[in-house]
Amino acid sequence: MHSKSPPTSEPSVVAIIGGGVSGAGVAYHLARASSSEHPVILVFEPRAELGRGLAYDTSDPAHRINVPAAKMSLQPDELGEFQAWIEARDAVADDPGAKRPDGSLFPRRRLFGDYVASLLKPLLEDGSVRHCRAAVTSVERYAGRWTIRDDKGGVTEADLVAIATSHPPPAAPGRLATRLAAHPRFVADTTRPGALDVVRPHDRVLVIGNGLTAADVIASLAERGHDGPVTSISRRGLRSRGHAPVPQPLFGDFLSDTAPSAMSLLAGIRTAIKAAKAEGISWHGVIDQVRAQGYDLWQALPVAERRRLVRHLRPYWDVHRFRIAPQVEAVLDTAVAAGRLEILAGSVADARIEGERIVCALQPRHHSQPLERSYDAVVVTTGPAHGGILETQPWLAALAASGHLSLDPTGLGLACTERSEAIGPSGKADPSLLISGPLARGTFGELMGLPQVTEHAFFVATEIAGKLQVNDTHTA
């Protein structure tokens, strides 16, 4: 006769806040991690599907992934999975513009969201992952656990929490937001569905910012038949670069003698680009190598040098690192050649509404005299305001006020340890609160590109699985 086994304790509950690629990736890898005790994995995400987030929820046909499909995957060790998924389904049959002459694929962004959602689907169906379709309103520590409230009236108790929320929306520079708020064609946040619907076909448009979002906006307007003049202004007037005509090998070694300062790192990159050119390799191979070795390079820099790099060199890094899809590059090149797109280095010193027009004082870089220009529409594309993340959601601000979260000293998001554990204002880490995705950039360096985001999601899932195993051992 067998003796009864002792009653097992309740499974641990892991709450993941945010169901874009960062949050969905953590849930996916955690559900697949081998463990004797499978945790309850809850993902809080108001969208209908997990894995889309802001980036991959777009239905705009002009929005394309800016990395070849062959380099995109939710699996860090199976880079070709997305491309194989596309080919198995003939998923770009209705998108002849996706395939480039060299055979590489740059499909519409929504398709990557379809792929991630398809990977999560069986886990949702068998209950390994649960989707709580609600927005979180408060997160509080109470009696050794986390209490999470949402806007549907739900109250959830969790043992571990992973914060994987979206980028904060862009912030309009200076006084512009208040000066122009009343104008019907002032677009402060392009992530809102239908944000560009207010722009008419012949409008004179000022785009504030000149990175990937600006390129997306200009391509989207062209797709809708907009043919009016566009001015794109950014502090340095740097335009996002395109991909190399053919894939380039990685070039350079930045790890055998890691740079102790931002300037020495820049000098090393410039030297490597010169050496690469002599061997017939473009700068793309050097930047890709810096990205590949980015975590170690970032760790070698003191905080003061990280700040210097963010302040002075980040714009140059961004335009070389985050390349635009060839289809979008072609739209911009055509607009520049036709004289419809003007790219300015400078800033918007002031703006006012005069009837239907928006009159802007533009301050060109290295010029003392401002230019006065009239526009019909102004679109803000300055990129995520990571330094303002705590103000974007009240529950994040409350977690900071209660001593659980603090801003990273580099201004790139939330402070966390090298194990992705959140650091409060006291400098103490909380092992039960983790940061996943771009908000952990200050500690991990490059965390905006998809390969790094998926690698980090896998890393956070592994950390959580390890914590759960320790908990199981303690409670056994």
Side-chain angles (χ1 to χ4, degrees):
M1 183 177 168
H2 294 288
S3 61
K4 284 187 179 176
S5 54
T8 54
S9 57
E10 289 288 304
S12 298
V13 178
V14 178
I16 299 164
I17 305 174
V21 172
S22 295
V26 173
Y28 175 79
H29 291 299
L30 183 57
R32 298 179 76 213
S34 54
S35 168
S36 53
E37 286 289 327
H38 283 289
V40 174
I41 303 169
L42 286 170
V43 184
F44 288 87
E45 170 55 58
R47 289 180 176 83
E49 285 185 302
L50 297 183
R52 293 197 178 278
L54 271 181
Y56 306 108
D57 198 28
T58 172
S59 55
D60 191 323
H63 290 173
R64 294 189 174 272
I65 62 171
N66 63 317
V67 177
K71 290 185 178 178
M72 290 185 74
S73 171
L74 201 59
Q75 323 284 0
D77 53 354
E78 276 183 64
L79 282 187
E81 189 183 71
F82 178 44
Q83 175 129 359
W85 182 91
I86 292 171
E87 288 165 357
R89 288 158 185 78
D90 201 12
V92 293
D94 63 342
D95 181 16
K99 190 170 256 191
R100 306 306 300 157
D102 66 355
S104 61
L105 286 177
F106 288 84
R108 291 175 181 138
R109 276 216 302 265
R110 188 168 184 85
L111 197 62
F112 188 77
D114 292 345
Y115 151 76
V116 179
S118 77
L119 292 185
L120 268 294
K121 194 171 177 239
L123 299 174
L124 290 162
E125 285 172 351
D126 70 14
S128 303
V129 174
R130 299 179 197 175
H131 178 188
C132 182
R133 198 175 169 190
V136 166
T137 54
S138 87
V139 181
E140 293 176 303
R141 189 79 170 148
Y142 181 71
R145 296 187 92 200
W146 294 100
T147 301
I148 301 161
R149 289 180 169 79
D150 63 58
D151 63 354
K152 300 282 170 71
V155 181
T156 304
E157 297 271 310
D159 300 284
L160 291 163
V161 171
I163 296 174
T165 50
S166 294
H167 306 298
R175 301 183 299 270
L176 285 193
T178 46
R179 289 279 175 99
L180 302 182
H183 197 282
R185 284 180 295 284
F186 173 59
V187 182
D189 182 3
T190 60
T191 64
R192 292 180 185 277
L196 297 178
D197 292 352
V198 295
V199 181
R200 302 165 302 191
H202 309 306
D203 279 348
R204 296 161 298 173
V205 179
L206 174 66
V207 177
I208 303 173
N210 202 17
L212 289 180
T213 307
D216 273 350
V217 163
I218 294 163
S220 293
L221 290 175
E223 179 94 13
R224 293 155 182 254
H226 178 264
D227 58 8
V230 178
T231 301
S232 177
I233 190 166
S234 66
R235 197 169 296 168
R236 294 170 179 82
L238 300 171
R239 191 181 136 187
S240 291
R241 305 298 172 91
H243 292 265
V246 293
Q248 299 292 300
L250 297 178
F251 186 92
D253 170 24
F254 301 95
L255 292 185
S256 54
D257 185 17
T258 50
S261 70
M263 291 314 291
S264 58
L265 178 59
L266 176 63
I269 293 170
R270 283 178 167 161
T271 302
I273 288 173
K274 199 173 174 184
K277 191 176 178 183
E279 293 188 28
I281 296 167
S282 76
W283 57 264
H284 301 77
V286 177
I287 297 297
D288 289 346
Q289 180 73 300
V290 175
R291 190 198 73 202
Q293 300 177 345
Y295 174 77
D296 294 308
L297 292 172
W298 187 253
Q299 297 304 316
L301 292 174
V303 169
E305 288 302 320
R306 292 181 188 182
R307 282 179 170 157
R308 191 168 283 125
L309 189 150
V310 168
R311 198 164 57 245
H312 299 295
L313 301 180
R314 182 178 157 199
Y316 299 95
W317 169 255
D318 284 355
V319 297
H320 288 86
R321 162 68 185 92
F322 302 112
R323 299 159 201 164
I324 51 177
Q327 301 95 323
V328 176
E329 186 178 25
V331 171
L332 268 62
D333 287 345
T334 302
V336 168
R340 279 195 308 103
L341 173 59
E342 172 191 29
I343 293 171
L344 279 182
S347 58
V348 184
D350 208 350
R352 65 184 186 274
I353 297 172
E354 284 189 4
E356 286 208 352
R357 296 183 309 147
I358 299 173
V359 181
C360 297
L362 307 181
Q363 182 58 62
R365 192 171 182 172
H366 308 310
H367 287 265
S368 55
Q369 290 300 310
L371 302 171
E372 188 161 284
R373 297 269 186 92
S374 283
Y375 297 97
D376 303 297
V378 171
V379 183
V380 178
T381 67
T382 47
H386 285 119
I389 183 63
L390 294 176
E391 284 80 61
T392 60
Q393 301 194 52
W395 64 270
L396 285 172
L399 274 176
S402 60
H404 295 287
L405 288 181
S406 58
L407 287 176
D408 183 84
T410 56
L412 290 178
L414 298 173
C416 63
T417 67
E418 287 176 28
R419 297 188 65 183
S420 242
E421 297 170 348
I423 298 173
S426 68
K428 192 167 177 256
D430 188 329
S432 67
L433 185 63
L434 292 98
I435 313 296
S436 176
L439 291 178
R441 281 176 87 186
T443 296
F444 291 88
E446 182 48 69
L447 251 182
M448 293 288 278
L450 187 98
Q452 285 70 44
V453 168
T454 54
E455 280 169 21
H456 193 244
F458 180 78
F459 170 76
V460 171
T462 308
E463 285 292 312
I464 292 173
K467 291 173 188 293
L468 293 174
Q469 231 166 4
V470 171
N471 288 351
D472 288 348
T473 309
H474 287 168
T475 54

